Amino acid sequence: MSKSRNNALEFSTVGSEVLESTDAVTGKRYGALQIINDTIFSALTAGNVADTSKLIGQTIPAGMVIYGEFSAVTVSSGLVMAHKY
């Protein structure tokens, strides 16, 4: 039985990165952004999520997970576990 892409993402077999206040990342691929502490994004780009601009400047509460194909993430405040895919 072959391993599915969803299982790989769920268990983050390709790694994760911790992003905190003022971290700006471009040119990487994240499949999920797990909010550890309440977080505000100042930039968020995803190829398959419409209107990410509506999340800019909003407080995203701890415990949320945002799924998508993220290629650029800038954290204004908070703490995020960015899961690669």
Side-chain angles (χ1 to χ4, degrees), residues 2-3 9 13-14 16 20 32 35 37-38 40 43 45 47 51 55 72:
S2 66
K3 181 171 62 171
L9 176 60
T13 59
V14 293
S16 300
E20 60 186 347
I35 310 303
N37 291 342
D38 289 359
I40 298 173
T45 303
D51 300 325
L55 297 174

Side-chain angles (χ1 to χ4, degrees), residues 2-83:
S2 66
K3 181 171 62 171
S4 77
R5 185 171 179 85
N6 288 337
N7 285 341
L9 176 60
E10 181 179 354
F11 296 107
S12 197
T13 59
V14 293
S16 300
E17 295 182 32
V18 177
L19 305 178
E20 60 186 347
S21 183
T22 70
D23 282 347
V25 179
T26 60
K28 295 190 179 182
R29 295 179 356 154
Y30 302 115
L33 302 176
Q34 180 180 5
I35 310 303
I36 305 302
N37 291 342
D38 289 359
T39 295
I40 298 173
F41 295 104
S42 58
L44 196 58
T45 303
N48 65 342
V49 179
D51 300 325
T52 56
S53 62
K54 293 179 181 177
L55 297 174
I56 304 304
Q58 301 296 319
T59 300
I60 311 298
M64 297 292 298
V65 178
I66 304 170
Y67 297 98
E69 295 175 1
F70 297 95
S71 59
V73 178
T74 302
V75 177
S76 292
S77 65
L79 188 66
V80 175
M81 181 69 72
H83 300 286

